[in-house]
Amino acid sequence: MRLLLIEDDMQLAAGLIQALRSEGFAVDHLSSGRQGLSALLARQADMAILDLGLPDMDGIEILKQARQQRLGIPILVLTARDSMADKIKGLDLGADDYLAKPFDVPELLARIRVIARRLGTSDDSCIAIGTVTLDTLAHKVLVEQQPLALSRREYMLAKALIENAGRIQSREQLESHLYEWGDEVASNAVEVHVHHLRKKLPAGFIQTIRGVGYTVNK
């Protein structure tokens, strides 16, 4: 899952980026509200974490404009505004969740996982396809109940394919799961990761749809 973090507190942002990446998320960060709104409307993220107290544009206005443009991605609001009226206003304008500062990072991660499960093909944290099981809470892929030794990007690739089982994922879609803004991406990067991942999964588990992308059958 690719997350867009819109937060002007650089110290907080650095800590969140580290925590989110350790959970297997790709994270893009912006500190400007206007840039954040433009990035949201470009629809390149799967989910956004939005601070309301931004210096150049109020987060409530960003939320309002995003929903007016029928932006459907989940938006989790972070804010020091912890009154009930503020929470109700944020939720009414289209926030999917609302977390007041200061907060515990494990709670934020748990809320993100809940939203992530809503976006997947299953509401369960474990998805089994044949002898292969994806455990999103443990961040593991297992074959016949034995965990595989995967790199971070191999795990993210497996997760993207398994959560979208039965749907073809193009190379561009998979790149968006594996890489962040500014990353140098070789033209054959996805193919290389698929090649290495295939060696660790049962034969034929990942199907190539020539000229289109890759898929995992349900």
Side-chain angles (χ1 to χ4, degrees):
M1 172 174 282
R2 187 170 184 171
L3 303 180
L4 174 62
L5 174 63
I6 307 172
E7 169 62 66
D8 68 314
D9 183 329
M10 302 307 288
Q11 185 174 355
L12 174 59
L16 290 179
I17 291 168
Q18 182 178 6
L20 291 166
R21 285 177 178 165
S22 72
E23 290 285 304
F25 297 108
V27 186
D28 298 313
H29 171 237
L30 293 170
S31 58
S32 160
R34 297 189 185 281
Q35 290 179 349
L37 177 60
S38 296
L40 278 172
L41 296 180
R43 290 171 167 79
Q44 295 179 334
D46 299 304
M47 176 182 169
I49 302 171
L50 172 65
D51 176 36
L52 295 188
L54 297 166
D56 61 331
M57 187 176 187
D58 190 83
I60 286 291
E61 183 60 26
I62 294 173
L63 182 60
K64 183 178 179 180
Q65 289 194 33
R67 294 314 188 207
Q68 284 176 343
Q69 294 294 320
R70 300 187 181 279
L71 182 72
I73 72 167
I75 299 176
L76 188 154
V77 166
L78 300 179
T79 181
R81 306 172 194 174
D82 59 354
S83 73
M84 183 58 67
D86 284 324
K87 291 180 181 178
I88 292 171
K89 184 177 182 180
L91 293 169
D92 282 345
L93 285 173
D96 292 83
D97 204 348
Y98 193 107
L99 191 57
K101 298 177 181 179
F103 56 85
D104 293 325
V105 171
E107 181 182 1
L108 172 64
L109 295 175
R111 290 174 184 245
I112 291 172
R113 286 194 295 268
V114 169
I115 295 174
R117 286 198 294 273
R118 292 181 201 150
L119 297 178
T121 58
S122 172
D123 291 333
D124 200 333
S125 61
C126 288
I127 304 173
I129 300 175
T131 60
V132 179
T133 301
L134 168 70
D135 185 338
T136 58
L137 289 182
H139 305 288
K140 292 181 180 179
V141 176
L142 304 93
V143 174
E144 296 181 346
Q145 301 305 311
Q146 297 300 311
L148 301 180
L150 300 179
S151 69
R152 183 175 72 91
R153 288 199 170 115
E154 287 172 349
Y155 168 77
M156 292 167 70
L157 174 61
K159 182 174 182 289
L161 289 169
I162 293 171
E163 286 188 332
N164 291 283
R167 297 196 290 261
I168 298 171
Q169 297 292 291
S170 69
R171 185 177 72 179
E172 291 75 16
Q173 286 174 308
L174 293 173
E175 283 180 353
S176 74
H177 287 284
L178 302 181
Y179 296 97
E180 300 165 10
W181 294 341
D183 286 347
E184 292 187 10
V185 184
S187 60
N188 66 337
V190 170
E191 288 83 354
V192 170
H193 290 307
V194 168
H195 174 73
H196 290 307
L197 184 59
R198 275 180 165 149
K199 291 182 177 180
K200 302 175 183 181
L201 292 168
F205 185 77
I206 299 175
Q207 301 289 318
T208 300
I209 310 300
R210 284 197 187 280
V212 183
Y214 301 92
T215 190
V216 166
N217 292 326
K218 289 186 176 179

